[in-house]
């Protein structure tokens, strides 16, 4: 009991020493960047949000709460307001270089983003979506050459056996490719969920509802909801293109596995046929070797006195063994020859070729 009380007190002390805070990097419209720590309760009160709004339960989500956009893109957690972008808990995630060198100038309106002439939330949302697409593209670029290199070495028909190190590397890369395909699907689903609802697209246009002048201008010149829909559709199409490339790589791996198995089966069949031929040769030699065994039993006869009988019996043994072996080989060849298929009518062949050409899947155009 004493030990249990000590462990309980130590755990409570450890929990109390760690304050529930958010590490925040704040990007403002004018380009100012500040980093600070704030307690979660104070942060909720300042933004007029509930604790459940910032739980970030899903790996990829874009939601609107209290005229704010709450985003999670895997490890990136952010809150967008009409005036600023706040990135939460960014330490130790490898985001510092992107936050300092790329995100700040993009949000300041240097023209790198297509939405630099639109309100601030458009630039912030596009910068985050662009970073997510770039991350997925980088992961695909890292996996693709390794997979192609492994497949090129494994599909070589001259190899009698598959390299285990290459197979292990192919297995790891295939697993990474499957994880990448899942992440792309989750990202597409999060965008598609918004694109299917016009009300959700309207809620993402924050400045349209906070500034009456922007609302009047949107009715006269620019439809912010339409621009937001175009923005989401653009990155949805880019993610769909990455998903198609990942699926093509998976299909290439499956096809290459079939080729590898066929290649190994072919070499295995050759070795089995050679083993069978050697077995038949041994059987033929042993069959006619019985004569030599009979003459080697030290039985007295008139043949051992003639010196020509040794060469005669030996020649007869080898001749009989060779004839039996050739006979067995011809029997094996007749039964292993593939049966000839009936000829294909030229008319059907032409129609089938036309059908295959017409059924080719053409890649999508972005």
């Amino acid at each position: 009991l004493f030990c249990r009380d000590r462990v309980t007190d130590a755990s409570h002390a450890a929990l109390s020493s760690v304050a529930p805070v958010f590490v925040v990097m704040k990007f403002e419209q004018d380009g100012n960047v500040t980093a600070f720590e704030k307690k979660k309760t104070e942060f909720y009160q300042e933004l007029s949000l509930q604790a459940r709004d910032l739980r970030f339960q899903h790996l990829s989500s874009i939601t609107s709460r209290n005229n704010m956009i709450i985003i999670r893109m895997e490890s990136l957690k952010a809150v967008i307001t009409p005036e600023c972008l706040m990135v939460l808990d960014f330490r130790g995630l490898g985001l510092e270089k992107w936050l300092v060198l790329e995100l700040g100038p993009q949000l300041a309106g240097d023209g790198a983003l297509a939405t630099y002439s639109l309100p601030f939330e458009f630039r912030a949302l596009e910068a985050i979506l662009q970073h997510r697409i770039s991350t997925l593209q980088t992961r695909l670029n890292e996996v693709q050459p390794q997979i192609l290199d492994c497949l090129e070495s494994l599909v070589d028909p001259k190899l009698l056996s598959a390299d285990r190190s290459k197979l292990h590397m192919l297995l790891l890369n295939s697993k990474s490719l499957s994880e990448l395909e899942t992440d792309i699907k989750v990202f597409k689903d999060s965008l598609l969920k918004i694109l299917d609802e016009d009300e959700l697209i309207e809620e993402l246009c924050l400045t349209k509802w906070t500034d009456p002048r922007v609302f009047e201008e949107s009715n006269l010149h620019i439809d912010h909801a339409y621009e937001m829909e175009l923005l989401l559709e653009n990155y949805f199409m880019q993610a769909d293109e990455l998903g198609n490339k990942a699926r093509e790589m998976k299909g290439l791996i499956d096809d290459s596995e079939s080729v590898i198995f066929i290649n190994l089966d072919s070499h295995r069949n050759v070795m089995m046929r050679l083993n069978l031929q050697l077995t038949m040769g041994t059987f033929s030699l042993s069959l006619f070797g019985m004569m030599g065994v009979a003459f080697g039993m030290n039985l007295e006869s008139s043949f051992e006195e003639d010196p020509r009988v040794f060469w005669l019996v030996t020649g007869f043994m080898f001749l009989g063994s060779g004839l039996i072996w050739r006979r067995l080989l011809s029997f094996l060849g007749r039964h292993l020859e593939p049966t000839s298929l009936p000829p294909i009518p030229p008319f059907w062949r032409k129609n089938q070729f036309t059908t295959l050409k017409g059924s080719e899947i053409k890649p999508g155009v972005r």
Side-chain angles (χ1 to χ4, degrees):
L1 291 176
F2 177 71
C3 294
R4 186 184 303 173
D5 292 338
R6 290 186 61 185
V7 172
T8 306
D9 295 340
S11 61
H12 283 304
L15 290 176
S16 61
S17 62
V18 179
V21 298
F22 276 128
V23 181
V24 184
M25 182 173 286
K26 184 177 181 180
F27 298 86
E28 300 180 359
Q29 294 188 23
D30 53 3
N32 293 330
V33 181
T34 56
F36 56 88
E37 294 183 358
K38 181 161 290 191
K39 292 183 178 180
K40 293 185 178 181
T41 54
E42 297 179 358
F43 192 73
Y44 298 147
Q45 293 174 0
E46 287 185 5
L47 299 181
S48 300
L49 295 173
Q50 300 295 328
R52 62 176 178 270
D53 296 331
L54 297 180
R55 285 178 183 172
F56 301 105
Q57 298 179 352
H58 303 285
L59 290 178
S60 181
S61 62
I62 302 175
T63 57
S64 178
R65 293 286 188 276
N66 194 20
N67 202 28
M68 298 178 188
I69 302 176
I70 302 173
I71 300 177
R72 175 163 185 186
M73 293 295 167
E74 203 175 29
S75 59
L76 177 62
K77 306 172 185 177
V79 177
I80 301 176
T81 67
E83 296 82 16
C84 65
L85 164 65
M86 290 174 285
V87 181
L88 311 178
D89 296 337
F90 58 90
R91 293 178 180 175
L93 301 176
L95 300 174
E96 289 81 0
K97 181 178 180 181
W98 172 69
L99 293 174
V100 175
L101 300 180
E102 299 182 17
L103 183 59
Q106 287 178 347
L107 297 179
D110 59 351
L113 300 176
T115 57
Y116 69 95
S117 60
L118 293 172
F120 178 77
E121 66 268 15
F122 284 83
R123 299 198 300 271
L125 182 60
E126 184 182 6
I128 293 176
L129 295 178
Q130 188 180 69
H131 171 70
R132 182 58 179 162
I133 289 293
S134 300
T135 303
L136 296 175
Q137 181 68 53
T138 302
R139 291 172 57 185
L140 181 61
N141 293 338
E142 291 176 355
V143 173
Q144 185 173 3
Q146 298 179 6
I147 292 178
L148 294 178
D149 182 43
C150 291
L151 294 179
E152 185 178 358
S153 59
L154 290 174
V155 177
D156 189 1
K158 297 180 181 179
L159 295 178
L160 298 179
S161 62
D163 190 356
R164 292 186 177 181
S165 61
K166 294 291 185 179
L167 288 175
H168 181 67
M169 187 179 299
L170 181 62
L171 179 62
L172 295 178
N173 291 328
S174 179
K175 183 179 178 181
S176 301
L177 188 63
S178 299
E179 294 175 354
L180 174 61
E181 190 174 3
T182 302
D183 293 341
I184 293 174
K185 183 179 182 302
V186 171
F187 177 69
K188 288 172 54 181
D189 291 342
S190 62
L191 295 181
L192 188 61
K193 181 180 178 181
I194 301 175
L195 291 172
D196 289 340
E197 299 291 339
D198 295 337
E199 296 179 357
L200 297 179
I201 297 177
E202 291 281 351
E203 292 176 358
L204 297 181
C205 304
L206 307 178
T207 310
K208 180 178 179 180
W209 307 110
T210 56
D211 192 349
R213 293 174 301 175
V214 175
F215 181 76
E216 294 176 359
E217 292 177 359
S218 64
N219 289 334
L220 295 177
H221 302 286
I222 301 176
D223 187 356
H224 285 184
Y226 179 69
E227 295 294 333
M228 182 63 71
E229 184 178 2
L230 289 179
L231 174 64
L232 297 177
E233 283 183 352
N234 179 27
Y235 287 96
F236 177 82
M237 294 300 296
Q238 294 186 34
D240 187 56
E241 184 177 352
L242 292 178
N244 292 334
K245 292 181 180 179
R247 283 191 294 273
E248 289 177 0
M249 293 299 301
K250 290 286 291 184
L252 185 60
I253 291 176
D254 296 338
D255 296 340
S256 300
E257 287 179 354
S258 302
V259 173
I260 293 171
F261 291 147
I262 293 173
N263 186 21
L264 294 179
D265 289 339
S266 176
H267 290 295
R268 189 181 299 112
N269 293 336
V270 171
M271 299 302 296
M272 291 175 62
R273 182 161 184 164
L274 178 61
N275 186 21
L276 184 58
Q277 291 176 356
L278 293 177
T279 303
M280 290 187 300
T282 304
F283 170 75
S284 303
L285 190 61
S286 301
L287 181 62
F288 280 85
M290 296 293 292
M291 297 179 60
V293 174
F295 279 96
M297 294 176 66
N298 296 325
L299 299 177
E300 295 182 359
S301 62
S302 60
F303 293 105
E304 63 268 8
E305 297 178 359
D306 191 351
R308 292 175 298 179
V309 174
F310 172 77
W311 299 107
L312 180 63
V313 173
T314 303
F316 184 73
M317 288 170 51
F318 281 101
L319 180 61
S321 300
L323 291 176
I324 291 294
W325 187 53
R326 293 296 300 175
R327 184 68 177 177
L328 292 175
L329 286 181
S330 62
F331 175 80
L332 178 65
R334 287 197 307 270
H335 284 76
L336 291 182
E337 285 182 359
T339 57
S340 58
L341 298 176
I344 301 175
F347 175 76
W348 183 86
R349 188 184 305 162
K350 181 178 179 181
N351 290 344
Q352 183 71 11
F353 180 73
T354 307
T355 305
L356 290 176
K357 285 187 63 179
S359 61
E360 290 180 355
I361 300 175
K362 304 208 172 166
V365 180
R366 180 160 64 96

